[in-house]
Amino acid sequence: MNTRVLTGITTTGTPHLGNYAGALRPAIEASASPGVDAFYFLADYHALIKADDPVRVSRSRLEIAATWLAAGLDPERVTFYRQSDVPEIPELSWVLTCVTPKGLMNRAHAYKASVDQNTEKGVEPDDGVTMGLFSYPVLMAADILMFNANKVPVGRDQIQHLEMARDIAQRFNHTYKGDYFVLPEVVIAEEVATLPGLDGRKMSKSYNNTIPLFEGGAAALRAAVMRIVTDSRQPGEAKNPDDSHLFTLFRAFATHEESAEFRAALLAGMGWGEAKQALCDRLERELAEKRERYDALMARPDDIEDILLAGAVKARKLAAPLMERVREAVGLRTLRGSAAAKGSGKKAAAKSARFVSFRDEEGKFRFRLMSAEGVELLLSVAYADPKEAGAVVKRLQGGGAKVLANYDSQTSVVVEGVEVVKRVGYVVEMDGAVVAHSPEGLDADASDSGAQATRTALASLQAA
């Protein structure tokens, strides 16, 4: 089974060299790994929390999409989309907001930092705090849980948000008694490069010390490199590579052999001007071809739009069925056939057990049997063909199924091709094969009652 990995990129600026080495390059390399189902999205709703300049947000969406594609992201291999093109995400965010305690949001680092700053200024604690900033972790949770990502690579400053996403998922699963959401695993990539900027501090727009990646071309890249701060040692004097952030930048893009040669040259007295030119040359070898692709993409925004919309279609094939399950869970069900028309004088139809069909995360077809009270009784095995799943539902409605409860180590059954023993629960068999099974985690009493409720529900459907 593939591991689903999800990464979001906030669209509030233009990517620089540090973004490329620290995030884009390792993420693109990881997406090509076998067994990885990679999701990358432009977090443009998140951008609205930080930026109120529509021109900047719009331009950033284009630049970041072009950068990822030019850097080698394969939209055929991964799912690459804009957050705002998947309407199920904000819908899920609201549903999750309704199960998220305010106290949990009060503890969010970004919110607490804003309150602390306001306290120091002597103003009202929530001065300038928008609901976007306050509830940011819930939207982030929706981004992750919408696709049931197994792993989410983040910086250390985002660990708390991942922990909140896990907490929110657990609360929803517990409240609505189902396995709706996978608990995401935090991934901290310790090996990811944090590049120094022109002044030796971390490369960041907030320090105004960045080196452009593609914007401005080779001339802008060279101009920035030539502004890198160095010490006063003259040509011929030995330089200490370990104290040189110029060497750190070179090493992030060079092979082991190239780094060793550059290090030796610095120790031998290579001048800083020559060293900067060597860095420029090495960066050009890495980036020139990618920059050409970037310029071509920026000149064809319609092509980028088509790629992002195709990614959104791909993403929604997973988001829509999950959101249907969530709506069903919280009671936002269709009213079709559920009650007599208002004012007709007829008594409202009684609720009954029902089958709910959906497509799972792997694109296969399943169904659930829900009780009249909305409790999940059965989850089917996976079917490649929706007609096959539909045929099983019809047979279950027609009777002849066998419900087996509390099978243990002395009873072995095959569920989805795997022999299962010592499982306390119940299954439904037809023609000697398991076609559906109980929810996970039932004890013996719950298994007995659930099996009986399943028999009753199936009988009611047969009678109907």
Side-chain angles (χ1 to χ4, degrees), residues 53-71:
D53 181 352
V55 174
R56 177 185 176 190
V57 172
S58 178
R59 178 71 180 181
S60 180
R61 295 201 309 170
L62 174 62
E63 290 175 344
I64 291 176
T67 298
W68 277 85
L69 295 169

Side-chain angles (χ1 to χ4, degrees), residues 90-110:
E91 182 181 0
L92 178 60
S93 181
W94 175 250
V95 174
L96 296 179
T97 297
C98 294
V99 300
T100 302
K102 179 176 178 291
L104 184 64
M105 296 297 96
N106 288 343
R107 296 191 290 274
H109 295 325

Side-chain angles (χ1 to χ4, degrees), residues 39 48 69 88-89 101 119 122 135 138 166 168 174 184 238 269 286 326 335 337-338 399-400:
F39 283 62
L48 304 182
L69 295 169
E88 290 83 3
I89 293 173
T119 301
S135 60
V138 183
R166 288 174 59 90
I168 292 168
H174 176 74
E286 171 96 11
V326 170
L335 301 181
S338 64

Side-chain angles (χ1 to χ4, degrees), residues 404 406-413 420-423:
L404 303 177
N406 288 331
Y407 57 92
D408 54 23
S409 58
Q410 297 177 353
T411 304
S412 174
V413 297
V420 179
V421 296
K422 295 184 178 178
R423 174 177 172 173

Side-chain angles (χ1 to χ4, degrees), residues 216-274:
L221 177 66
R222 186 178 190 281
V225 169
M226 292 302 167
R227 295 200 306 273
I228 294 175
V229 176
T230 56
D231 61 32
S232 58
R233 290 173 182 154
Q234 298 300 309
E237 292 184 72
K239 317 297 190 296
N240 182 358
D242 296 329
D243 285 341
S244 168
H245 45 280
L246 191 148
F247 176 70
T248 302
L249 285 163
F250 186 92
R251 187 173 54 192
F253 294 91
T255 65
H256 179 75
E257 292 75 15
E258 289 171 337
S259 297
E261 291 177 7
F262 191 64
R263 180 184 186 89
L266 288 172
L267 291 170
M270 179 171 60
W272 287 123
E274 186 181 354

Side-chain angles (χ1 to χ4, degrees), residues 94-206:
W94 175 250
V95 174
L96 296 179
T97 297
C98 294
V99 300
T100 302
K102 179 176 178 291
L104 184 64
M105 296 297 96
N106 288 343
R107 296 191 290 274
H109 295 325
Y111 173 64
K112 289 177 66 178
S114 295
V115 171
D116 291 344
Q117 290 172 7
N118 285 335
T119 301
E120 290 178 6
K121 294 176 184 177
V123 298
E124 204 270 333
D126 286 331
D127 184 60
V129 176
T130 65
M131 286 306 298
L133 172 65
F134 184 72
S135 60
Y136 166 91
V138 183
L139 179 56
M140 184 171 173
D143 292 326
I144 297 165
L145 302 179
M146 185 82 264
F147 301 103
N148 276 323
N150 304 109
K151 296 185 178 182
V152 184
V154 294
R156 291 195 171 277
D157 60 335
Q158 292 290 319
I159 292 176
Q160 185 196 42
H161 290 155
L162 262 294
E163 292 172 344
M164 287 179 167
R166 288 174 59 90
D167 184 78
I168 292 168
Q170 286 177 314
R171 286 175 181 273
F172 190 94
N173 288 346
H174 176 74
T175 299
Y176 294 102
K177 299 177 177 58
D179 56 346
Y180 300 94
F181 300 118
V182 170
L183 303 188
E185 178 184 340
V186 179
V187 178
I188 303 296
E190 300 289 359
E191 72 280 4
V192 168
T194 299
L195 293 190
L198 304 180
D199 55 4
R201 293 181 294 177
K202 175 184 175 182
M203 193 178 297
S204 171
K205 291 183 180 69
S206 60

